[in-house]
Amino acid sequence: MTNGRSASDFVLPRRVAMATMHGKERALSASFAAIGIDLVLPSALDTDQFGTFTRDRPRSGTMLEAARAKAQAAMQETGLQAALASEGAYGPHPTIPLLAVGRELLLFVDAAQGFEIAEMRIDEQPTFGHCPAVSVGDADAFLGRIGFPEQGLVVAPVGRLNAPVAKGICSVPDLEIAIETAVGLSPTGRAHIETDMRAFMNPRRMVVIGEVGRQMTARLSTPCTYCRHPGWGKVRTEYGLPCSLCGCPTSLPRHDVFGCVSCGVEERHAQSPGAVADPTYCPLCNP
Ligand SMILES: [Zn+2]
Ligand SMILES: [Zn+2]
């Protein structure tokens, strides 16, 4: 119990505004319907105002801040007091050269009851990449690898990447025209072809958004053991698995921390009870 409320006061909203204009609701609505939540699409919401993947409108702030701004706008537009917003970030893998990694964030905001839940999913095999070309033939291997035309493309002139000539390209004739246009506008006479990262153009993203959606509905369906508020789940990972030789904390993960979004209670669960780290990871034994 917090703020003088009892467990029975906490009822999840039945209608939740979905801050998207890129078809993400197709990946999410079934799992939310299964827990009794209808996702409501605002009739006029330009989520591109919060940033695009194509550099023409950079995102300001963190992923979480961008998702919050989208959720606020969706609530304003629909007059609802709850919203769901999704935000993706794609880039080079932090530790493995030449590989890409994606992060998909889903944010559930209940403004009436004053809580939010963030769920994140890492995709280590995203459809993400780019390739220079002066003709479609130059990009054959790239196109095969990313699964064109089911995966859409963006084309920009090399040297002017923040001014794409076309987005959402899903046919060879459209790609030919876009490459020709971009080559003509490029100071170096080359086109930059890249994966369109908008969800409805990126089948892999839709799969991962569906997965993070199921993480969210599972969490919304899990009440806190202490105050019964919905949203109990993993809130972070703690590092410091002890070295097997000297016991010193290493950089390896040790605990998953589960918590409540309302009363703040937390529980630590060892990832593998009794596990210890190889001294290779120890700052003392292997400095
Ligand atoms: Zn050690
Ligand atoms: Zn609680």
Side-chain angles (χ1 to χ4, degrees):
M1 322 282 165
T2 55
N3 311 326
R5 294 184 293 191
S6 69
S8 57
D9 293 336
F10 297 121
V11 176
L12 287 174
R14 290 281 163 238
R15 301 179 76 230
V16 172
M18 171 78 228
T20 187
M21 51 184 250
H22 294 151
K24 292 168 182 168
E25 73 282 1
R26 290 202 306 273
L28 295 166
S29 51
S31 42
F32 279 81
I35 62 164
I37 293 178
D38 279 335
L39 298 181
V40 178
L41 290 176
S43 53
L45 178 67
D46 174 18
T47 53
D48 281 356
Q49 68 181 289
F50 304 110
T52 62
F53 284 105
T54 38
R55 292 168 293 268
D56 35 357
R57 288 194 227 172
R59 181 177 68 210
S60 60
T62 64
M63 291 178 81
L64 191 56
E65 286 163 356
R68 273 196 197 115
K70 284 184 191 173
Q72 284 300 334
M75 286 188 282
Q76 253 164 33
E77 177 67 28
T78 56
L80 293 172
Q81 295 243 62
L84 190 66
S86 123
E87 187 70 23
Y90 288 80
H93 196 285
T95 53
I96 307 169
L98 305 179
L99 281 192
V101 68
R103 286 173 296 159
E104 290 290 347
L105 171 76
L106 196 60
L107 181 71
F108 182 90
V109 178
D110 183 333
Q113 297 178 94
F115 74 96
E116 64 174 37
I117 299 174
E119 280 290 324
M120 172 82 85
R121 200 162 180 90
I122 306 292
D123 184 8
E124 300 214 314
Q125 292 175 315
T127 308
F128 171 83
H130 61 87
C131 154
V134 293
S135 72
V136 172
D138 295 343
D140 266 352
F142 172 74
L143 297 180
R145 183 166 63 77
I146 60 154
F148 180 77
E150 287 72 26
Q151 166 65 50
L153 296 170
V154 175
V155 172
V158 168
R160 299 180 62 189
L161 295 188
N162 58 357
V165 298
K167 300 182 186 182
I169 301 164
C170 292
S171 77
V172 172
D174 287 349
L175 181 58
E176 277 169 351
I177 295 167
I179 291 176
E180 199 181 309
T181 310
V183 165
L185 291 169
S186 163
T188 56
R190 283 182 308 154
H192 171 94
I193 307 175
E194 67 182 25
T195 45
D196 193 328
M197 297 312 292
R198 293 174 297 171
F200 70 107
M201 282 288 145
N202 193 306
R204 173 71 187 175
R205 265 199 86 193
M206 289 295 265
V207 169
V208 177
I209 290 169
E211 289 167 352
V212 74
R214 286 187 289 278
Q215 272 177 224
M216 181 64 82
T217 53
R219 194 154 163 202
L220 286 168
S221 310
T222 310
C224 169
T225 328
Y226 303 91
C227 76
R228 309 303 300 164
H229 192 285
W232 177 263
K234 184 177 157 183
V235 288
R236 65 181 180 278
T237 301
E238 281 182 356
Y239 295 82
L241 192 67
C243 169
S244 62
L245 204 55
C246 72
C248 174
T250 66
S251 56
L252 295 184
R254 183 174 195 178
H255 293 116
D256 287 329
V257 181
F258 288 71
C260 175
V261 292
S262 180
C263 73
V265 161
E266 289 188 343
E267 277 177 7
R268 264 166 197 74
H269 298 262
Q271 284 197 345
S272 332
V276 285
D278 189 280
T280 317
Y281 300 98
C282 177
L284 288 184
C285 301
N286 186 22

